[in-house]
Amino acid sequence: MGSKSTADSLLNIGIKQQESGNFAESVLYFNKSLVSYYEHKDFKKAGDCYSYLAISYSLQGNYIQSLSYFEKSISEYKKVRYKLGISSVTNNMGGTYYYLGKFSQALSCYQKVLEIQTEIKDPKTIAITTQNIGGIYSKLEDYTSALKYYRKAYNVYTKLNDVKAIAQNLNSTGSIQVKLKDFDLAYENLSKALQVANEQNDKQIKIEVLNNLGTLFYEQSDYSKALGYFNNTLQLAKEMNSQQYIGDSQIAIGNIYAGQGKNKEAVKKCSEGFTIAQKIGSLSLKKDACDCLYHSYKTLGDDKKALTYYEKSNIFEDSLNSKETSNRMMNMEFQKQQLTDSIAYVKKEHTIQIKHKEEVQKKEKQRNAIIISLGFILVLAGGLWNRLNFVKKSREALRIEKDRSEELLLNILPEEIAEELKQKGSVNARDFNLVSILFTDFKSFTQTAEKMSPQSLVEEINVCFKAFDLISEKYKIEKIKTIGDSYMAAGGIPKPDQNSLKNIVLAGLEMQDFMAERKNENMQTNRPAFEMRLGIHAGPIVAGIVGVKKFQYDVWGDTVNTASRIESNGMVGKVNISESLYLLIKNEDCFSFEYRGNIQAKGKGELKMYFVEANL
């Protein structure tokens, strides 16, 4: 067993490597220290390690892995009731959702942080969260509110004399000033931030500032200077393996080429950026890339491709959930206004009472009666006014809740099905000629589960299935349901999609990659680990809604049963597919196949099966 001081030294080396942008090296040191901390049962330090691991993966653009580690960190902090750590990690989770373009989820994280902070009142965490909320306002193009939140955070950082936090704040403020066309002040703030980043050798702050300086000169149509800054950003991003900024700078350079009339070069750069955006699953980055490709292809006269990317851009815009986020922001402000109105009303009532008493002492009974009557009328009128105002605000609150309910319904059912259910109160079953069905199942689940506490078991399954949900969303396949330790999804419903067969196989491969990484993590910390079989089959199905309570969208047919048999006859770590699916995707260059021959399947006789792998 290694000493605690050795573990601390390994952790500190990892932190230095992370600050220097050497993320791969930092991960190695964090994992080594994590093993030692578990040996000493130091769960607080184990939580620290998971948090730093999550940040390293997030900065490389591996957001699914990052969110998984953040969840682990919170789990360890809860064991020792380390509320400051829980608050800080939840804040960082919000940042990860922000980069994914999932602003509503990001805001939910920030609200949780502020709830925790009402108890522990850590000024640094409150300031960071305040600045992050400003970032969401910026994405919603409410720049006045964004600057208001940035200024609040800046005042706290100044009191704490936190040089790096001040630099990050100046960088965020500068980015807003660029959008407001206040270029001189933006350049001043960004230059200050860059100076601190160089002095502190903080590559992460430096890469963010360089990117914003590039945007500053791009907005002024000074393409030469802008290109210089974006090329520096790209070079530093490649050194740090920051996929987010590699993609971002590629798209920015593509936009410069488009502005210079070099549309073929623009297409090349923005296509590279789009590929990275798809890889890391960033909605906002995918939208930026599609906008660039739309304008470039349109200028080149390729209307067909231009239209394709225009439609994709609109889809990604809708997926950013900006409407839901705006509603939630509005609700926060409405709640605050309700409190303000209540205080004002109490003050008003108190004032009326004091005046009333004074008048009673000065006036005769008859005059007092008149004043009291008038006072009653005034109070009644004021009450009626407040009532009307409250009704107005209540209606707005109901509208917001209605929007939330609709968003919740869309989380349960596909949009097309949800609309039919709202309009008719029921949904007609539909036949589909070609749908792909994916099943997963954990091998030796019962034996592995016996080694875990009930809480640890549920947490582990939740981590895996949350990752599967994100992967399903990334490849646009429909999650159908979970049954115990089994996960079921379908491609090509409720809207047929020509890419669904390819996408569901890519999703299956990524799910197996996740499980392999998860097993390695758990083995390093001496935790039980699940291994998974995964099978996919394609064919005709019937889809619809069953029941009237706790209803769910489900699928039926021999295709579903066959897919289940394909999964149960698969091998751990492999993606097993049927012959019918193989015949449909065999010409896809991104896959390689291994024929398994005829495999005896329960209730199906012999079926031809194939293992599929990704061509790197």
Side-chain angles (χ1 to χ4, degrees):
M1 180 184 291
S3 66
K4 283 282 292 292
S5 59
T6 301
D8 292 340
S9 297
L10 290 169
L11 178 60
N12 288 329
I13 294 170
I15 294 169
K16 292 293 183 185
Q17 292 289 340
Q18 188 183 82
E19 290 175 347
S20 300
N22 302 321
F23 302 128
E25 290 82 354
S26 71
V27 167
L28 293 174
Y29 285 105
F30 293 145
N31 277 318
K32 288 179 181 178
S33 58
L34 182 64
V35 173
S36 183
Y37 287 133
Y38 271 122
E39 289 175 350
H40 291 279
K41 299 188 183 303
D42 190 335
F43 301 117
K44 190 268 181 186
K45 283 289 190 178
D48 291 346
C49 288
Y50 281 125
S51 177
Y52 282 118
L53 279 164
I55 292 169
S56 284
Y57 280 111
S58 180
L59 292 174
Q60 293 178 84
N62 190 341
Y63 298 127
I64 293 175
Q65 192 70 52
S66 172
L67 290 169
S68 171
Y69 277 119
F70 279 135
E71 293 277 9
K72 275 290 182 186
S73 178
I74 290 174
S75 176
E76 298 306 312
Y77 286 153
K78 283 181 178 178
K79 291 178 182 177
V80 292
R81 299 180 180 177
Y82 182 40
K83 292 186 177 180
L84 179 59
I86 294 170
S87 175
S88 178
V89 169
T90 304
N91 206 346
N92 286 331
M93 285 184 74
T96 301
Y97 280 122
Y98 173 88
Y99 278 118
L100 278 167
K102 297 178 180 294
F103 304 133
S104 178
Q105 289 95 322
L107 185 61
S108 293
C109 289
Y110 299 148
Q111 286 176 304
K112 287 178 185 177
V113 173
L114 293 177
E115 288 170 8
I116 297 171
Q117 288 301 324
T118 57
E119 181 179 345
I120 60 179
K121 295 180 174 65
D122 176 61
K124 175 72 178 289
T125 305
I126 293 173
I128 294 171
T129 308
T130 301
Q131 181 163 322
N132 288 341
I133 292 173
I136 294 181
Y137 273 116
S138 174
K139 284 291 185 182
L140 296 173
E141 298 182 4
D142 184 351
Y143 302 131
T144 302
S145 297
L147 287 173
K148 180 181 74 175
Y149 278 89
Y150 287 160
R151 278 194 292 272
K152 287 181 181 179
Y154 180 82
N155 292 335
V156 177
Y157 295 145
T158 304
K159 290 177 183 177
L160 296 173
N161 195 28
D162 191 326
V163 178
K164 286 188 178 182
I166 290 171
Q168 288 173 326
N169 186 274
L170 289 171
N171 176 56
S172 297
T173 302
S175 70
I176 296 294
Q177 289 158 345
V178 169
K179 294 180 174 71
L180 293 172
K181 309 296 182 185
D182 193 350
F183 298 127
D184 291 339
L185 193 54
Y187 184 74
E188 181 183 338
N189 284 324
L190 292 173
S191 296
K192 289 178 183 177
L194 184 60
Q195 182 181 348
V196 173
N198 286 327
E199 290 172 357
Q200 300 288 325
N201 191 30
D202 192 313
K203 291 184 178 180
Q204 185 58 33
I205 298 177
K206 183 176 180 179
I207 197 172
E208 293 174 10
V209 177
L210 287 173
N211 192 63
N212 282 330
L213 282 166
T215 304
L216 168 73
F217 286 105
Y218 174 77
E219 290 295 325
Q220 297 177 84
S221 299
D222 189 341
Y223 295 141
S224 177
K225 285 186 179 179
L227 191 60
Y229 278 113
F230 283 130
N231 278 324
N232 287 337
T233 304
L234 180 58
Q235 182 181 348
L236 185 57
K238 287 179 177 178
E239 290 176 12
M240 299 167 64
N241 191 30
S242 175
Q243 296 296 311
Q244 176 75 28
Y245 278 97
I246 291 174
D248 205 330
S249 52
Q250 295 277 40
I251 295 166
I253 293 169
N255 281 321
I256 291 174
Y257 285 148
Q260 293 175 329
K262 302 175 182 177
N263 289 290
K264 289 184 178 179
E265 291 90 337
V267 166
K268 181 181 178 183
K269 282 292 181 182
C270 290
S271 295
E272 291 173 0
F274 185 58
T275 300
I276 291 173
Q278 288 181 303
K279 178 181 176 183
I280 64 178
S282 173
L283 288 171
S284 53
L285 205 59
K286 282 191 276 192
K287 183 190 180 302
D288 291 343
C290 287
D291 286 342
C292 171
L293 289 164
Y294 160 65
H295 290 295
S296 298
Y297 277 121
K298 185 179 179 182
T299 306
L300 288 169
D302 192 338
D303 293 338
K304 185 177 179 181
K305 287 186 177 178
L307 180 61
T308 298
Y309 285 105
Y310 177 78
E311 291 173 343
K312 287 183 178 180
S313 174
N314 287 335
I315 291 169
F316 295 137
E317 174 70 29
D318 292 341
S319 299
L320 287 172
N321 292 328
S322 57
K323 179 182 177 183
E324 179 187 346
T325 308
S326 298
N327 287 341
R328 190 170 293 182
M329 291 285 197
M330 189 189 305
N331 193 47
M332 288 171 65
E333 296 298 330
F334 171 60
Q335 290 171 356
K336 183 173 70 177
Q337 189 61 42
Q338 277 186 314
L339 179 61
T340 304
D341 289 348
S342 298
I343 294 170
Y345 181 76
V346 170
K347 286 182 178 178
K348 181 180 177 182
E349 288 293 295
H350 183 61
T351 302
I352 291 173
Q353 289 175 11
I354 292 173
K355 287 183 178 180
H356 175 66
K357 288 178 181 179
E358 290 175 352
E359 292 297 329
V360 169
Q361 294 171 358
K362 293 179 182 179
K363 308 291 182 179
E364 296 177 357
K365 285 186 177 181
Q366 187 177 5
R367 187 170 178 81
N368 288 347
I370 296 172
I371 291 172
I372 291 169
S373 299
L374 290 172
F376 176 75
I377 292 170
L378 288 172
V379 171
L380 181 62
L384 288 171
W385 172 255
N386 283 331
R387 180 64 180 173
L388 289 171
N389 201 29
F390 175 76
V391 169
K392 181 181 178 182
K393 290 178 179 178
S394 296
R395 285 175 178 170
E396 179 62 20
L398 286 171
R399 185 188 66 78
I400 291 168
E401 290 304 320
K402 179 177 177 291
D403 289 343
R404 284 184 179 176
S405 297
E406 290 190 356
E407 292 291 343
L408 180 61
L409 184 62
L410 292 178
N411 278 337
I412 300 172
L413 301 173
E415 183 177 0
E416 184 178 307
I417 303 303
E419 286 299 322
E420 185 179 347
L421 183 65
K422 285 191 293 181
Q423 291 176 11
K424 298 167 49 181
S426 61
V427 176
N428 294 330
R430 288 179 58 191
D431 291 312
F432 291 86
N433 292 326
L434 182 61
V435 170
S436 49
I437 303 293
L438 176 149
F439 274 102
T440 75
D441 188 52
F442 295 144
K443 180 188 176 185
S444 305
F445 176 77
T446 303
Q447 295 89 325
T448 306
E450 288 174 351
K451 303 174 185 177
M452 308 168 73
S453 67
Q455 182 179 350
S456 297
L457 175 62
V458 173
E459 286 178 359
E460 184 67 21
I461 295 174
N462 185 47
V463 167
C464 296
F465 285 175
K466 281 180 72 174
F468 292 178
D469 285 348
L470 288 169
I471 292 168
S472 296
E473 184 179 356
K474 175 180 176 181
Y475 289 103
K476 298 179 183 177
I477 63 175
E478 193 71 35
K479 175 184 177 181
I480 302 300
K481 58 187 172 183
T482 59
I483 310 166
D485 62 316
S486 178
Y487 186 96
M488 179 184 178
I493 56 169
K495 292 183 179 180
D497 180 1
Q498 61 181 0
N499 294 318
S500 64
L501 298 177
K502 173 183 173 183
N503 284 343
I504 199 167
V505 175
L506 289 171
L509 290 167
E510 195 162 321
M511 289 176 183
Q512 285 290 23
D513 288 343
F514 174 84
M515 292 303 299
E517 291 181 9
R518 187 71 182 167
K519 180 182 178 182
N520 289 334
E521 294 164 22
N522 287 359
M523 288 178 66
Q524 289 174 357
T525 54
N526 296 319
R527 290 168 172 265
F530 290 121
E531 293 180 311
M532 186 175 78
R533 293 184 299 265
L534 189 151
I536 311 173
H537 176 56
I541 59 100
V542 176
I545 289 180
V546 292
V548 292
K549 290 186 177 180
K550 296 184 180 179
F551 49 74
Q552 70 174 49
Y553 189 62
D554 209 346
V555 294
W556 301 271
D558 186 64
T559 297
V560 178
N561 298 330
T562 303
S564 177
R565 295 292 178 262
I566 297 293
E567 173 272 310
S568 60
N569 285 279
M571 289 179 61
V572 165
K574 295 282 191 178
V575 173
N576 191 37
I577 67 172
S578 65
E579 181 186 36
S580 59
L581 178 55
Y582 163 75
L583 294 173
L584 292 166
I585 64 170
K586 65 180 181 179
N587 294 323
E588 294 286 353
D589 294 334
C590 57
F591 299 132
S592 60
F593 304 92
E594 177 188 343
Y595 178 53
R596 300 183 62 198
N598 291 333
I599 307 296
Q600 186 69 33
K602 182 180 179 181
K604 292 290 177 182
E606 290 189 344
L607 297 175
K608 292 181 179 179
M609 302 183 193
Y610 293 78
F611 287 139
V612 58
E613 294 183 357
N615 278 334
L616 302 177

